[in-house]
Amino acid sequence: MTRRVFVCRCEDVTLDEIDHAIARELTTIEEIKRYTGLGTGPCQGRECMVPLARLLCERGLAEPATVQPFTARPPTEPVTFAALASAQPPYTGAADDDKDPEAAR
Amino acid sequence: MSKPRPLLELASPLPADEAVTLEFDGAPIPARAGEPVSAALLRAGVLATTRSPKYRRPRGPYCLRGECGSCQVRIAGQPNLRACTALARDRLAITPQNRWGPRGLDPTGLIDQVFRGGIDHHHLVVRPRIANAVMQKVARTMTGFGTLPDPATSAAAEARQVVHTPTVLVVGAGAAGRRAARHLEAAGVDVLCVDRRDRATLEVAAPGPLPAELLRAGVFAAYPHEGLWTAASDPLEAPLELHTIHPRAVLLATGARDPLLPLANNDLPGVVSARGLHLLLTRSGSRPAVPVVVIGEGDEAAILGEALGAAAVVGPEEVVEIHGGDAVDGVTLKGGRRIACGLVALAPIPAPTHELAAQAGITLRFDGHGFAATSDERGRAIVDPAMPQPWTLWVAGDLRGYMGPTAAAADGEAVAAALLESLEGAR
Amino acid sequence: MSTSMGSPRAPLPERVDIAIIGGGIMGLGLAHNLAALGQRSVAVIERSYLVSGASGRNGGGLRMQWGDAGNVALMMESIEICRGLAQELGINLWFRQGGYLFVARSEASEARLHRNAELHREVGAPTRLLSPTEAQAIVPHLDPGPIRAATYNPEDGVVFPWPFVWGYAARAIDRGVVVRTHTEIVDLLPEARGFTLVCASGERVSAERVVNATGAWSNQINRRLGIDFPNRPHRHEILSSEPLRPFLDPLVVDLDSGLYFSQSTRGELVTGISLPDVDGYDDDSLALHSSLRFLAVLAARLTALMPITRSLKVLRQWTGPYDVSPDGDAIVGPTPGHPDLIQLCGFTGHGFMMAPAATRLVARWLVRGEAHPMLQRWDPARFKGAPTSRREDMIIG
Ligand SMILES: Cc1cc2nc3c(=O)[nH]c(=O)nc-3n(C[C@H](O)[C@H](O)[C@H](O)COP(=O)(O)OP(=O)(O)OC[C@H]3O[C@@H](n4cnc5c(N)ncnc54)[C@H](O)[C@@H]3O)c2cc1C
């Protein structure tokens, strides 16, 4: 095996690749996520977010007091289309949200 | 191929009435009914069950607690299911994913050797156009992990929605969540406690009795604008269930999980989470069948080392490199010492599981080990004023910064008491 | 090749010929095309990181299959540019021509497809009318039952949006354009010629001409000058599924529900659907939150059309802002009353695909004064008179 230090195993993002992103002046978590793909795989950032935040703080590229994780997008657990399709309106209680989008077109 | 070497073994013989047989890649594998599939696989010496997306390195389980994705296999005709949370039952069919060519001879494994300096996928073979087109074709054939689900079973998958309107939703039945839920139940509050783990796992995962009203489902989102939380049943359960939950108060006790320690070859099959491994051993009545090296931070590394019968416990800063191929076989330390082993157990300081808190609008603070949910001293969460709050939000346990099971349980109790007081005040 | 793709530390010149507000596909595409024509006194100023706006949140679909000849011709040009754009920009764009398959379930939609197929034949786009069984031959897992007709154009396709944006930025920077990120424009001060732009950082840039390429935020810039165009932001949600081996070649659109789905380079099903705004939690504030309502409506339509997706799992959902123009046409050109302020917005749900051709023709107009039929159609002054009757009917989302 080639010697590699992984920060994100899901998307095979190594420490070298983070360095390449930083060399391109991408120094925020959201930018590094997008350039390297870090955090976009099956674990959705559970493993890689903290090592990245620590690294940016160590390098002086982020402040521990202000560094934030990337947006936590739903779903945080696997959910099937079948389960979702079972949901019935109203979802919000707003008067018009049970409108059939097809009928509304 | 050499005969697979078991990584774990049973601590005592399996009673006949608990024995079932799994089908791994067509071959029978003995298992204990209801145990995590990963336990049975590791006892059978099955470690690498997939390959990584880019360098095509062999991968096996890591967290063993349903957090990461590297144990994902095809189970009962469905792609990308975690072997560490799937429960063994007779004739459950399990197949590895993401492999090419004949068994054991995956030519794509060479990619790791060929691209020693790394792959920059943005700038790989951009020119000339013809070569670029070929590169894209090749890349596309290798993309994705599993293949489509079995058409007939997928199309027929039944599902239903279940609506809940509890007074309090407790997310997580770990040390803090269960204690909080019990406290609220005892006071006669209508509380729904949700955790994605099965009951037997929860029983060994943390101290203390479980609440009466316990739903096994993965809470997957907070939708403050819609005034609800959602959870989904395990994808292997039938019918599939979507839970929509409309609570008056929410107590988040989502705990903490293991971040990755950035070490050389920290992805090799056999590099696992020390906490996850310990839980799996307890849950499945197994013990390591190979030497274990623990690489860890903080006081708990030594405790975990002892619990796992580790050959050595070292700090991450001492490690030069982890070695191995399809399975880990050793760790080299600074100064050149090399320790042979069959499992490397990582024990980083756990990081709060902050995602749901973030979705609900709770302010997070980086504590050096993770993003902790912020709150006042009673556990009432500090929230972004721009986020709608159709409920009151409370946080307890490791989510407020890793504190360990004993402190988390006490925290769960204290926050539940404060929540109760606020409910009574509102009445 | 430059290694930078924009930076919060890029020095801002005091004066430039053209300042572009907004570092999305429009702003950066324009910067690239201006620089390619020799106009290098250009600065692009972006409030956040590149790809933070709609250009980083879209489905990456590109199609010729439009309902009127002007749009079809424009998209034929865009797709032609895309064939060689990765090489021009020096970055992989993952442009894959797997086609677009439109399916119709109602009589009205079927009639639209027939009309389009006829139009496309006339203008030379290779769109074919298909029977439900022929559609199923292209997408084997479709349930042909409810489908009445389909059209297929093999040259339509998808790209990966992020590198597209970065590629334009890097190439423009190579040629001398300044791309400044993490810098918000908070005011525009009219000068005798052009404007002085005021950044939140306190920095100022004077420019002879200013381009408003802030997409769904363009109203906020325009209102500083008391200008109000009728474009409005709309939340559009989208999701990715777990990544799977390739099983789907084209991007599929169900014309009756506005459901669309394609398989990305990474193997994920990327899918969205038309969803009218709901009172109470949709407003002009551009809050980009996600909803269960979207997941539920989408899942119902997707699983009906492709039953095999029932046990597929959703990996991630997110939201982006559409910059909706009332007649479906973009708002591009000099601003009435402020000719030095150039609008480049209102691209609704299709700005990504139009950007390669649109930004090239706008650059040619700015540098050489070259006319183009679309410029007339996109003229910001058109809202002054009576509303036009023509409304492009192939807008998705
Ligand atoms: C979910 C979704 C799916 C879509 N799918 C497709 C598709 O398949 N095909 C397609 O062609 N199109 C699609 N679109 C539409 C397409 O993404 C947009 O039309 C296009 O990206 C618009 O580009 P833009 O550069 O105008 O806007 P943006 O990319 O939004 O860029 C505007 C930029 O301006 C910046 N900005 C705003 N205010 C200021 C300020 N005051 N100072 C400095 N900077 C500022 C913003 O931060 C932003 O980066 C989709 C859109 C969405 C949301």
Side-chain angles (χ1 to χ4, degrees):
Chain A
M1 267 328 101
T2 300
R3 183 184 195 276
R4 299 185 201 273
V5 181
F6 288 91
V7 179
C8 163
R9 296 180 312 130
C10 295
E11 292 298 311
D12 267 358
V13 182
T14 63
L15 208 50
D16 281 350
E17 284 165 43
I18 307 273
D19 281 329
H20 292 160
I22 291 173
R24 288 181 177 272
E25 302 188 75
L26 302 174
T27 55
T28 63
I29 289 187
E30 295 282 6
E31 284 167 303
I32 292 172
K33 165 189 167 180
R34 285 167 179 76
Y35 193 69
T36 64
L38 169 139
T40 62
C43 96
Q44 289 290 296
R46 280 176 160 98
E47 254 180 58
C48 55
M49 185 88 75
V50 168
L52 177 60
R54 278 170 90 157
L55 181 126
L56 293 178
C57 290
E58 275 161 26
R59 304 251 181 112
L61 296 167
E63 287 296 324
T66 53
V67 67
Q68 288 293 304
F70 57 67
T71 312
R73 306 209 188 279
T76 60
E77 299 285 331
V79 51
T80 57
F81 284 111
L84 293 167
S86 75
Q88 297 301 316
Y91 312 105
T92 59
D96 56 348
D97 88 339
D98 54 353
K99 210 188 285 168
D100 183 340
E102 207 152 306
R105 283 170 73 81
Chain B
M1 271 243 303
S2 56
K3 199 175 172 313
R5 173 172 73 147
L7 286 305
L8 308 181
E9 61 195 16
L10 282 170
S12 59
L14 192 60
D17 61 343
E18 291 182 25
V20 294
T21 305
L22 307 177
E23 281 171 28
F24 178 75
D25 220 3
I29 282 187
R32 187 194 301 268
E35 73 175 343
V37 164
S38 290
L41 294 180
L42 292 172
R43 284 201 306 268
V46 175
L47 191 53
T49 52
T50 188
R51 278 186 186 270
S52 71
K54 211 154 103 179
Y55 299 112
R56 311 278 317 165
R57 287 159 70 104
R59 291 279 168 81
Y62 168 67
C63 77
L64 297 169
R65 294 193 287 181
E67 302 280 359
C68 78
S70 70
C71 70
Q72 286 188 349
V73 283
R74 188 178 184 87
I75 304 181
Q78 290 187 50
N80 300 323
L81 293 181
R82 292 183 170 112
C84 70
T85 55
L87 304 181
R89 57 173 192 245
D90 208 30
R91 299 235 270 286
L92 191 64
I94 297 143
T95 352
Q97 288 194 150
N98 211 12
R99 55 172 187 199
W100 284 87
R103 221 169 284 180
L105 275 176
D106 188 334
T108 65
L110 288 173
I111 289 175
D112 184 56
Q113 310 294 318
V114 174
F115 292 92
R116 294 197 150 262
I119 296 177
D120 173 356
H121 54 279
H122 296 306
H123 301 100
L124 179 72
V125 203
V126 177
R127 300 188 183 99
R129 196 198 289 193
I130 292 177
N132 185 251
V134 173
M135 183 279 295
Q136 286 202 29
K137 277 224 167 67
V138 174
R140 179 162 155 87
T141 61
M142 275 191 240
T143 206
F145 288 94
T147 52
L148 276 174
D150 294 352
T153 39
S154 183
E158 281 188 42
R160 64 163 183 237
Q161 181 186 16
V162 187
V163 180
H164 305 260
T165 52
T167 306
V168 182
L169 165 67
V170 175
V171 184
R178 68 180 64 181
R179 182 77 84 82
R182 295 262 312 175
H183 185 92
L184 293 164
E185 273 180 1
V189 176
D190 174 15
V191 33
L192 176 68
C193 183
V194 190
D195 198 296
R196 63 157 186 248
R197 292 170 284 183
D198 64 290
R199 204 171 182 101
T201 298
L202 284 171
E203 271 161 11
V204 295
L210 290 165
E213 194 62 30
L214 179 60
L215 174 67
R216 184 191 177 195
V219 177
F220 67 80
Y223 295 108
H225 292 83
E226 291 164 291
L228 53 85
W229 295 67
T230 49
S233 61
D234 186 283
L236 279 171
E237 305 260 298
L240 297 161
E241 286 179 336
L242 176 76
H243 300 273
T244 47
I245 309 165
H246 306 256
R248 271 179 52 204
V250 182
L251 191 152
L252 286 175
T254 47
R257 50 21 176 32
D258 293 328
L260 195 61
L261 289 173
L263 300 169
N265 298 335
N266 51 0
D267 68 318
L268 293 181
V271 177
V272 296
S273 150
R275 288 179 181 83
L277 178 61
H278 184 236
L279 180 67
L280 186 73
L281 296 178
T282 322
R283 171 73 173 78
S284 66
S286 310
R287 64 185 173 216
V290 291
V292 180
V293 170
V294 170
I295 304 176
E297 302 173 314
D299 307 337
E300 284 186 16
I303 302 169
L304 283 162
E306 189 150 332
L308 295 172
V313 179
V314 299
E317 66 291 341
E318 295 173 68
V319 175
V320 174
E321 191 171 344
I322 302 169
H323 300 274
D326 285 338
V328 53
D329 58 26
V331 178
T332 304
L333 303 183
K334 283 188 185 141
R337 182 171 157 227
R338 182 168 169 149
I339 315 171
C341 62
L343 285 168
V344 171
L346 303 186
I349 292 179
T353 301
H354 68 258
E355 285 79 6
L356 290 172
Q359 286 174 15
I362 300 177
T363 308
L364 304 176
R365 172 184 52 86
F366 186 61
D367 66 5
H369 301 288
F371 295 93
T374 59
S375 63
D376 67 14
E377 62 289 355
R378 300 160 69 230
R380 180 82 190 260
I382 296 171
V383 294
D384 172 1
M387 186 71 84
Q389 293 299 334
W391 37 61
T392 58
L393 283 172
W394 304 76
V395 290
D398 290 342
L399 175 60
R400 301 170 77 183
Y402 184 70
M403 52 180 81
T406 315
D411 196 47
E413 175 95 35
V415 175
L419 197 168
L420 193 60
E421 225 172 85
S422 89
L423 285 178
E424 280 163 359
R427 229 175 254 157
Chain C
M1 270 286 292
S2 154
T3 57
S4 175
M5 302 180 309
S7 157
R9 288 166 290 275
L12 268 186
E14 268 170 39
R15 287 207 70 81
V16 287
D17 289 351
I18 300 178
I20 300 171
I21 315 175
I25 190 83
M26 287 298 160
L28 292 163
L30 179 63
H32 163 72
N33 280 294
L34 287 171
L37 293 178
Q39 171 52 277
R40 286 153 197 205
S41 175
V42 175
V44 180
I45 303 164
E46 163 57 43
R47 175 179 56 197
S48 181
Y49 54 91
L50 301 187
V51 309
S52 60
S55 304
R57 296 167 181 268
N58 66 81
L62 280 82
R63 61 181 157 105
M64 296 173 191
Q65 292 193 63
W66 282 87
D68 94 11
N71 282 335
V72 179
L74 184 78
M75 280 311 303
M76 288 174 79
E77 219 178 302
S78 246
I79 287 173
E80 187 51 40
I81 295 172
C82 283
R83 283 187 232 274
L85 196 60
Q87 289 70 42
E88 189 181 333
L89 301 181
I91 191 166
N92 281 315
L93 303 178
W94 310 100
F95 175 49
R96 182 175 63 80
Q97 292 180 287
Y100 256 58
L101 181 76
F102 275 92
V103 302
R105 290 181 289 125
S106 67
E107 213 177 315
S109 298
E110 185 180 3
R112 273 160 77 191
L113 291 186
H114 280 276
R115 211 166 53 228
N116 287 347
E118 183 61 24
L119 171 77
H120 294 183
R121 201 178 47 75
E122 281 164 22
V123 295
T127 304
R128 300 201 306 267
L129 202 56
L130 302 183
S131 69
T133 358
E134 287 168 318
Q136 207 192 13
I138 295 176
V139 181
H141 299 288
L142 277 186
D143 174 6
I147 298 176
R148 301 172 67 109
T151 53
Y152 176 70
N153 181 324
E155 298 196 16
D156 294 343
V158 289
V159 294
F160 190 19
W162 296 341
F164 220 106
V165 176
W166 297 322
Y168 272 144
R171 199 74 187 90
I173 292 170
D174 267 352
R175 290 181 164 134
V177 169
V178 173
V179 178
R180 167 64 90 80
T181 57
H182 302 276
T183 304
E184 185 176 8
I185 297 299
V186 290
D187 210 356
L188 289 85
L189 311 175
E191 305 287 347
R193 274 190 77 188
F195 295 88
T196 294
L197 301 185
V198 184
C199 307
S201 56
E203 293 161 288
R204 286 169 180 245
V205 185
S206 299
E208 280 177 24
R209 285 189 283 188
V210 170
V211 179
N212 183 0
T214 56
W217 293 271
S218 55
N219 282 322
Q220 297 175 4
I221 296 285
N222 289 330
R223 283 179 193 148
R224 303 235 44 114
L225 297 171
I227 304 156
D228 194 9
F229 287 115
N231 56 327
R232 290 292 174 267
H234 161 70
R235 285 164 13 88
H236 184 75
E237 301 193 44
I238 187 164
L239 67 83
S240 281
S241 76
E242 58 190 299
L244 295 171
R245 286 279 164 75
F247 65 91
L248 176 68
D249 285 331
L251 188 151
V252 180
V253 183
D254 170 31
L255 212 44
D256 291 284
S257 65
L259 168 77
Y260 61 89
F261 55 93
S262 70
Q263 197 180 10
S264 75
T265 314
R266 294 151 41 116
E268 302 148 336
L269 206 60
V270 175
T271 167
I273 193 165
S274 300
L275 208 52
D277 287 335
V278 170
D279 282 348
Y281 75 99
D282 289 297
D283 52 28
D284 283 2
S285 70
L286 281 156
L288 299 178
H289 53 88
S290 295
S291 75
L292 174 67
R293 171 175 174 256
F294 162 70
L295 293 181
V297 171
L298 180 135
R301 302 284 174 221
L302 177 67
T303 56
L305 200 59
M306 286 258 285
I308 198 171
T309 58
R310 283 185 68 81
S311 64
L312 277 194
K313 297 178 287 298
V314 178
L315 188 68
R316 186 167 63 238
Q317 72 174 129
W318 70 95
T319 299
Y322 268 20
D323 175 17
V324 180
S325 157
D327 59 4
D329 282 336
I331 301 172
V332 177
T335 308
H338 290 280
D340 298 335
L341 176 63
I342 314 299
Q343 302 293 329
L344 183 56
C345 50
F347 280 93
T348 312
H350 45 265
F352 210 91
M353 65 176 89
M354 290 192 173
T359 58
R360 188 171 74 180
L361 73 88
V362 172
R364 286 177 179 170
W365 165 66
L366 283 171
V367 176
R368 302 186 193 146
E370 213 172 287
H372 190 285
M374 291 311 276
L375 285 173
Q376 219 170 336
R377 179 165 162 178
W378 290 338
D379 187 354
R382 72 180 182 275
F383 299 110
K384 282 195 163 162
T388 48
S389 55
R390 190 200 58 243
R391 168 96 162 71
E392 167 63 59
D393 69 352
M394 291 291 283
I395 287 167
I396 308 304

